[in-house]
Each structure stands twice: as C-alpha cells, then as structure tokens.
Amino acid sequence: MTATTNTRRWDPVVKLTHWTIVAAILANAVITEEGSAAHVWVGYALAAILALRLLWGLIGPAEARFTAFPPSPVRALRHIGEIRRGEQAEHASHNPLGALMVYAIWSCLGVIIATGIAMAGFPPQGESHEEDRPAAYASAEYGEESEEGEEAREGGEGHEEDGMEELHEVAVNLLYLLIVLHIAGVVFETRRSGRQVVLAMLPRRR
Ligand code: HEM
Ligand code: HEM
C-alpha cells in the first residue's frame, strides 16, 4: 500500500522466516537427497516456518500483514504504469508487483509441501528412528510394494504417488523460475528506487 514513510522495516519474524525459507529451499534443492529422511525433515521444518509466516500475516505488525499487501492485479498494473512514468511511490509493505510474487511463491511452496507430505506421510509420532527413511514411508503407502516396486509401478495404472511426485517436481521447477524473477525484481527495484531493498531484509537494518 502506498505510504509516506521513506524507511521500510521488516520485523524479525519476517526476516527470520525469509532467510530460513531460503535456507530450507537451498538445502533441499542442492544438499539433501531427493526423498531422503533429511529432505523430508527439512521439508517439515519449511512447512512449520511457512505456517509461522502465514500466522504472522494475520497477527503480526502492520507491514507484515496480508492486508498491507493484497494480491491485486489492478494495483500491479497501476504500479507498472508508475514505473513507466518514472514515479516513485513509497510502499510500507511489498509493492503490488512484489505482493503478487510473494503469493505466487507461497502458493508454490504450499503445493510442494502438500505433495511432499502426501508422498512421505506425516512425521512419525512419539518415536524417531534412524531407520525411518521416508522411502520407507513412501513404500508403505504402496501397501505390499517394496522399494523395488518403484519400477513395477511405472507400468501401473497411474498411482497417486506418481502424480504427486510429478506435481512436486513441476512445482519445484516453477518455484525456481519464481525465485529467479523475485531476485531480478529485487535488483530492479534497488536500482530504480536507489533504496537498499535488500538491507531492509537483513538483521539489525531498516
Ligand atoms: C522447496 C523445497 C523442496 C525442494 C526444492 C524439493 C525437491 C525435490 C525434488 C527435485 C525431488 C525429486 C522429484 C522426482 O523424483 O521427480 C523431490 C522428491 C521428494 N520430495 Fe521434495 N522438495 C522440497 C520439499 C519437500 C517437502 C516439504 C517434502 C515433504 C515434507 C518433500 C518430500 C519429498 C519426497 C518424499 C520425495 C521423493 C519422491 C520419490 O522419489 O518418491 N520435499 N523433492
Ligand atoms: C530461495 C530463494 C528465495 C525465496 C523463496 C524468497 C522468497 C521471498 C518471500 C516469500 C518474500 C516475502 C517476505 C515476507 O513477506 O514474508 C521475499 C521478500 C524479499 N526477498 Fe526473497 N526470497 C528468496 C531469495 C532472496 C534473495 C537471494 C534475496 C536477496 C538478494 C532476497 C531478497 C528479498 C527482499 C529484499 C525481500 C523484500 C521485498 C520487498 O521489499 O518488498 N530474497 N522473498
């Protein structure tokens, strides 16, 4: 939303959730093995952090609330008009284009988490065993199937998990695209406005 403030501040919860979400995505994209226990636990952590951020969208400070950055294509178009005319409106929260991006990223993460949990199951309650590999959760879902069942199900009539896996992968690739656009947007906005947009997301800065 347009505001007259010339300093943007993000509260510690927004900053912390941003960078831990980044870390979790990086971890699952480049470090953990797809579908491994580590991958799934990082996934649950990601789900918890995202849930915290969404809760914060309801009860957090003004700039962090959903009401401060409604998903509005109309506002986004207006914002593009402002950029074209070289106008510099200040936004107390995400600018309207940024807001669309934020909801797109969150939705994508929602699909990744939902499909990931559909494949892996919810965390085992009470006990936590070293051997609780998610591959085991996944194969438990196939009933009799063992891990070798993987090949067997390739020819099968469209197992739910195959669809989930595909959806997980498609959403992950879409997320990568959104991240590239997000970072490009941050760079663009920094150059355009001359404000240190990134510094506002770092600890102890405003
Ligand atoms: C944004 C973070 C994540 C990234 C980048 C990511 C990435 C991937 C990729 C690339 C695969 C391989 C897909 C394929 O085999 O076609 C995969 C598989 C898998 N992911 Fe994720 N994932 C993420 C989050 C999650 C979450 C939140 C969960 C669950 C809590 C999860 C659970 C799984 C499981 C169980 C598989 C194994 C699928 C299989 O081969 O049977 N992932 N992930
Ligand atoms: C995995 C990669 C990334 C993801 C998924 C991601 C996601 C997000 C999300 C969801 C928000 C909204 C924050 C909120 O309201 O809670 C955001 C904001 C922001 N991100 Fe990222 N981000 C990523 C990487 C980065 C990187 C590498 C930078 C720094 C170059 C960055 C800089 C920012 C900034 C400056 C904002 C605030 C934008 C504004 O002022 O409106 N992000 N990001």
Side-chain angles (χ1 to χ4, degrees), residues 142 152-164 166:
Y142 306 134
R153 76 189 149 93
E154 300 230 342
E157 350 70 67
H159 274 273
E160 225 176 88
E161 280 73 16
D162 285 339
M164 288 298 162
E166 212 153 286

Side-chain angles (χ1 to χ4, degrees), residues 8 10 15 186 190 195-206:
R8 166 138 25 153
W10 297 112
K15 291 176 182 180
V186 168
T190 305
R195 277 183 301 107
Q196 291 304 317
V197 179
V198 177
L199 287 189
M201 250 309 160
L202 297 179
R204 275 179 277 138
R205 304 289 189 125
R206 38 184 310 158

Side-chain angles (χ1 to χ4, degrees), residues 131 133-140 142 144-153:
E131 70 273 17
R133 293 179 303 113
Y137 309 155
S139 54
Y142 306 134
E144 271 80 84
E145 272 186 20
S146 65
E147 285 177 46
E148 290 88 51
E150 185 116 28
E151 281 104 60
R153 76 189 149 93

